[in-house]
Amino acid sequence: CTADKPIVFTSGKAVGERNPGDWDGITIIGNAPTNRTSELNVEGGVSGTYGLGNLPNDNSGTLKYVRIEYAGVAISSGNEVNALSLYAVGNGTTLDHIQISYAKDDAFEFFGGTVNGKYLIAYGTSDDDFDFDFGYSGKLQFGVSIKRPELADAADQSNGVECDNEPTVPGTGPSTPRTRPVLSN
């Protein structure tokens, strides 16, 4: 795939009939560190677990020159499949030139991990464009977020960036490693 011929993941519906949330999205599960102390199930009914990995350089492959359209499903609060869900994905993985358009939930969500990314675009998503949780500590460069107010979910606040660091046990203070993305350009 190249800039002129990207891989396009899109709705199975005909052009003109496509809508945000037509299909679930892409989920990648790696073995990089998170700040979870027990293994967790992946959200949204996707089969898989994550949370106890200890390989910061884990390699889950390459997504390069990719467009993801009309993906994402919010099954219930805190139980969602984002357009691109990244669970404990390590920095041996390549995320480069990825555009997400018309996502029903978040465009990019990072559940821990250390993966880096460049040239990431979120366009017209209903919820957050870049969401970081559970000790994510990677670097993103050249990220763009373009909101379309008529598509944003006002009830969910539809943030450009959401960054959380839930405690392991409520009342015990922040979990470590702390969620600390480095965003530049």
Side-chain angles (χ1 to χ4, degrees):
C1 55
T2 65
D4 294 333
K5 294 182 181 180
I7 296 171
V8 179
F9 295 91
T10 192
S11 168
K13 294 182 180 178
V15 174
E17 296 177 17
R18 296 174 180 166
N19 291 295
D22 278 352
W23 63 288
D24 288 350
I26 297 173
T27 298
I28 301 174
I29 305 169
N31 288 304
T34 71
N35 63 15
R36 303 295 79 197
T37 59
S38 63
E39 192 169 68
L40 300 171
N41 291 320
V42 171
E43 293 181 9
V46 175
S47 179
T49 58
Y50 74 103
L52 297 178
N54 61 1
L55 303 171
N57 297 326
D58 187 48
N59 185 338
S60 295
T62 298
L63 276 181
K64 188 172 183 177
Y65 296 111
V66 171
R67 191 169 71 233
I68 303 168
E69 307 172 325
Y70 305 103
V73 177
I75 296 165
S76 61
S77 179
N79 188 19
E80 305 140 351
V81 180
N82 306 288
L84 182 56
S85 300
L86 301 157
Y87 289 89
V89 176
N91 61 30
T93 304
T94 300
L95 300 179
D96 193 353
H97 289 88
I98 300 172
Q99 177 178 330
I100 295 178
S101 301
Y102 308 112
K104 181 66 174 171
D105 199 60
D106 296 343
F108 300 88
E109 186 157 5
F110 300 81
F111 296 86
T114 57
V115 66
N116 301 315
K118 286 198 246 178
Y119 304 102
L120 306 179
I121 299 171
Y123 176 78
T125 61
S126 70
D127 199 10
D128 306 319
D129 293 322
F130 297 92
D131 192 342
F132 308 103
D133 300 295
F134 300 149
Y136 171 74
S137 62
K139 299 173 183 175
L140 302 183
Q141 187 175 19
F142 308 116
V144 175
S145 169
I146 302 170
K147 287 293 192 191
R148 300 238 345 236
E150 74 277 13
L151 299 173
D153 184 349
D156 276 343
Q157 299 179 347
S158 191
N159 300 298
V161 172
E162 180 178 332
C163 189
D164 301 305
N165 195 71
E166 295 82 359
T168 302
V169 178
T172 64
S175 302
T176 57
R178 293 190 72 151
T179 303
R180 188 169 288 176
V182 175
L183 310 176
S184 59
N185 304 104

